Amino acid sequence: MSTRIKFCGITRPQDARLAVDLGVDAVGLVFTRRSQRFLGIAQAREIRRMLPPFTTAVALFMDDEPGWIEEVIAGVQPDLLQFHGAEPGSFSSSFSRPYVKAVPMASVDDAVAYVGLHPAANGFLLDSHALGALGGSGETFDWKRAPRLGRATILAGGLNADNVAQAIALVRPYAVDVSSGIETAPGIKDPARMRRFVEAVRNADAGIGK
């Protein structure tokens, strides 16, 4: 099975356009105001309108107010929500949208128990951040700690074109999620790094399939 790819922290239309041209499966838009990659609704709507069918628009939140989440859903119409904070399962599943939940591997000792708190989640994103910290730090975690969850597992945290093949070989995730690994600055994606990352994932898949 091909490893899906999500480019997160997209802030510019030209970066979204290249992501689509490269065949990326999902584009992440960050709506947490604390983030350097924060997007307002008008900016996000412009990017959202560029995405063709079967390219998933993901709205990322972290301990945000329900009113703001509802406003983003109404204004941007994301396909999927992604929660990065301490949101309980009942909260995350209350917005009539499928969602994935980030697992803060820096502070979670029992990832299986943690994901059990989110029975309605469509998948889980294993990230290197600690609970309460923002993602996109460029730091990895020990991939040997990645649990087998029985549901879609998305691997994130410090991925780039030089290490993603090793990560895929060890974890065999459903998808990989990259942000800082394809940037020159927060929210500013680099076309060459974007291309190299996609090529590295495709090459890793081809090697596993042999």
Side-chain angles (χ1 to χ4, degrees):
M1 184 177 71
S2 296
T3 305
R4 274 69 169 180
I5 300 172
K6 173 170 168 269
F7 281 178
C8 199
I10 293 289
T11 63
R12 305 188 301 174
Q14 61 265 40
D15 295 337
R17 188 176 299 111
L18 179 55
V20 170
D21 291 344
L22 292 172
V24 166
D25 301 279
V27 167
L29 308 173
V30 179
F31 295 100
T32 294
R33 290 183 175 88
R34 287 191 291 157
S35 174
Q36 293 177 290
R37 301 173 179 90
F38 170 77
L39 273 180
I41 288 178
Q43 281 178 285
R45 188 185 292 122
E46 181 183 2
I47 292 171
R48 176 70 178 98
R49 287 172 177 163
M50 294 172 52
L51 301 182
F54 310 123
T55 300
T56 303
V58 183
L60 189 152
F61 301 97
M62 182 176 176
D63 298 319
D64 289 291
E65 291 295 324
W68 172 238
I69 297 172
E70 294 283 9
E71 187 177 346
V72 169
I73 291 172
V76 182
Q77 293 294 309
D79 303 299
L80 184 72
L81 308 181
Q82 181 174 320
F83 291 104
H84 262 258
E87 302 91 350
S90 57
F91 178 90
S92 303
S93 60
S94 67
F95 297 98
S96 301
R97 281 285 195 285
Y99 79 94
V100 297
K101 183 70 178 74
V103 181
M105 296 297 290
S107 45
V108 168
D109 293 323
D110 189 343
V112 174
Y114 187 90
V115 303
L117 302 174
H118 287 266
N122 287 57
F124 294 94
L125 185 141
L126 306 181
D127 206 346
S128 57
H129 70 287
L131 186 63
L134 293 167
S137 66
E139 298 177 1
T140 62
F141 67 93
D142 182 359
W143 297 319
K144 294 177 182 177
R145 293 183 54 228
R148 303 296 179 187
L149 300 176
R151 276 186 278 178
T153 298
I154 302 128
L155 185 63
L159 296 178
N160 56 53
D162 295 323
N163 65 16
V164 71
Q166 181 187 4
I168 290 171
L170 282 172
V171 180
R172 301 292 179 89
Y174 172 79
V176 289
D177 186 319
V178 63
S179 184
S180 63
I182 54 171
E183 289 179 332
T184 55
I188 307 301
K189 307 305 185 194
D190 178 76
R193 294 181 191 183
M194 294 167 79
R195 291 188 178 94
R196 284 189 63 225
F197 188 87
V198 172
E199 289 171 1
V201 173
R202 302 303 183 224
N203 290 337
D205 286 345
I208 289 172
K210 290 179 180 178

